[in-house]
Amino acid sequence: MEIHFLGGATTVTGSQFLLVTERARVLVDCGMFQGSPNEAVRNRIPLGFDPTTLDAILLTHAHLDHCGLIPHVVDAGFRGPVIGTHGTCELAELVLLDSGHLQEEFAKREARWERKHPDEAVADDAKEREAYDAALRLAEDPNAATPVASDAGTVVSEAASEEVAVATETGGEGAWAIASHGPAPSGNPAAGAATITDDAEANLRGQPPVLEIDLDEPLYTQKEARRALEQFKAIDYDEEIEVAPGIHATFVDAGHILGSAIIRVRVAERDGDPERTIVFSGDLGRPDTPIIRDPTILADADYILIESTYGGREHEPQDEAIRVLADTVKLVAEANGVLLVPSFAIGRTQEVVWQLDRLIDDGAIPLLPLYLDSPMASKASDIYRRHAEYFDDHTAELLRKGGTPLDYPDQHVTRDLEESQAIATAPRPYMIVASNGMLTGGRVVGHLRNLIGDPAATILFVGYQGEGTLGAHLQAGATEVKIDGQLREVRCQIRSISGFSAHADESELLDWLSNFARGKRPGDPGYPRRVFLVHGDPEAQIAIEPKVRALGFDTKIPHWREQVTLD
């Protein structure tokens, strides 16, 4: 049997692992590459498998970098089931329909720009072709490195995972810019270009170039996303099912977002052959975080694929994160100001509201109005409310006592853009939670325009800010930003909290892994033969790999499109 590492290999995004036996082919995750240009353009590369031969897709959770290519694969001929938990299937509907819509809008905007700038469009198309060809060369030759278009097909969605880094444009001497209506389309001269060098990927296997491809067209539309949803099949946690001949899968709680799963797979190459157990961690959550349960502890496997996003990093203690949140709310109240919290729609927004509600119950903060300005977050919260069976004991107890842990006492949910814009005229002080979390697009950008120069305003980052994003530069102390083509001085307050991450940090990843060695020695049944480090940038994987080895495990950092035979 083999595993083909088609994504999430020396990168955080594009999760996609193909399990191949003599009688079955099962894909675990089918995510979209996002972030830096040399990653995002990989969404256009011919698939590393024939979709018509797939038996099933197993989905760990509903973030775009884990489910975002499913409609593309369905459109290419996949007709089997997409299997996930009930929560994952419902959230994935939000995510994929939003993704299809955004891609259609991106294509329309590109077409309008090309009609207005026909001469520049020729050069732009050539640049896009160069980006595509560069990605093909990278798949075939790890030493390939050429300039690529700065957008490279990135979909800036509210549903992106918090760890997805989407670069903003440079705007003059160290200033960082945002366009009038979100990210500039490819072809807009303001988007610029970036030279990307390869990241030491090796042993890559690619497909021959397909010249008949329009890089400005959507990978899929909303209609195609809706068609793909017809193939989704929801299951319960801890329910083992045969997903293909000789392949049985069990989904257990990963504690990352609602419905997220670690997938344990039992595999037999042929009838009568010894079974192998493979554990796919997906994105592992943190212990003792609000709303959903802790990641499930597993202790036996032959092979493990574990995420390594936070290799080499530790989160601050949650008590400290809550203290900083409370102090920031009080600071804004005293200044008669505005608190703006950029937040991702699924997972992070629900946790921020939960914590604010607890602080009100404890009398730790004043009751300021809270504007929830993210249609997707509101819909995601509705799905959370429908699935109380996924909640941890604390949140379940609050519900039993009549509490509303997913609702703040004085919250206002905006329904349309007009209501979003009206927030600026609301009586102060107040708070806004808006998507998305890195200031790379979404309604939060409109609020940033109003507040960036206001000393009474505070921007509070509650999640990872990807390298190159506007959020990262504000965190690093940028004093000017370019908004709508004009330089603006940063006069608002900037604060950050790292303790709200939905990803396990390095010590938490190692603690989870250590359970597979407890009471066993190498060679014992259930002691992993190899641990594959996935879902991490090279620096994170280099940092954590020796510590995984110190636990007694053989390790491997697979590369994009590498195929590994499992004995």
Side-chain angles (χ1 to χ4, degrees), residues 318-328 330 359 495 497:
Q318 192 172 62
D319 288 348
E320 175 64 12
I322 296 169
R323 184 194 67 77
V324 173
L325 177 61
D327 287 350
T328 304
K330 289 185 284 189
L359 289 170
R495 289 194 168 196
I497 299 173

Side-chain angles (χ1 to χ4, degrees), residues 1-9 14-22 24-30 33 47-50 53-54 203-207 269 278 280 305 532 534-535 556 558-566:
M1 67 186 71
E2 294 179 339
I3 296 181
H4 299 200
F5 293 86
L6 305 179
S15 180
Q16 193 176 122
F17 310 105
L18 179 64
L19 176 61
V20 178
T21 71
E22 288 189 3
R25 297 169 68 85
V26 171
L27 196 65
V28 178
D29 280 344
C30 189
F33 287 100
L47 296 167
F49 56 90
D50 179 355
T53 66
L54 279 184
N203 302 320
L204 306 182
R205 296 172 173 86
Q207 298 283 338
E269 185 82 45
I278 307 171
F280 299 84
L305 280 70
F532 296 95
V534 296
H535 295 295
K556 180 173 178 59
H559 297 284
W560 182 42
R561 298 213 168 182
E562 184 172 359
Q563 300 174 17
V564 176
T565 299
L566 308 181

Side-chain angles (χ1 to χ4, degrees), residues 64-79:
L64 195 67
D65 58 321
H66 290 256
C67 72
L69 284 188
I70 291 174
H72 179 52
V73 172
V74 168
D75 187 55
F78 171 62
R79 293 295 176 263

Side-chain angles (χ1 to χ4, degrees), residues 42-55:
R42 298 181 192 184
N43 295 316
R44 301 287 180 175
I45 300 298
L47 296 167
F49 56 90
D50 179 355
T52 65
T53 66
L54 279 184
D55 293 283

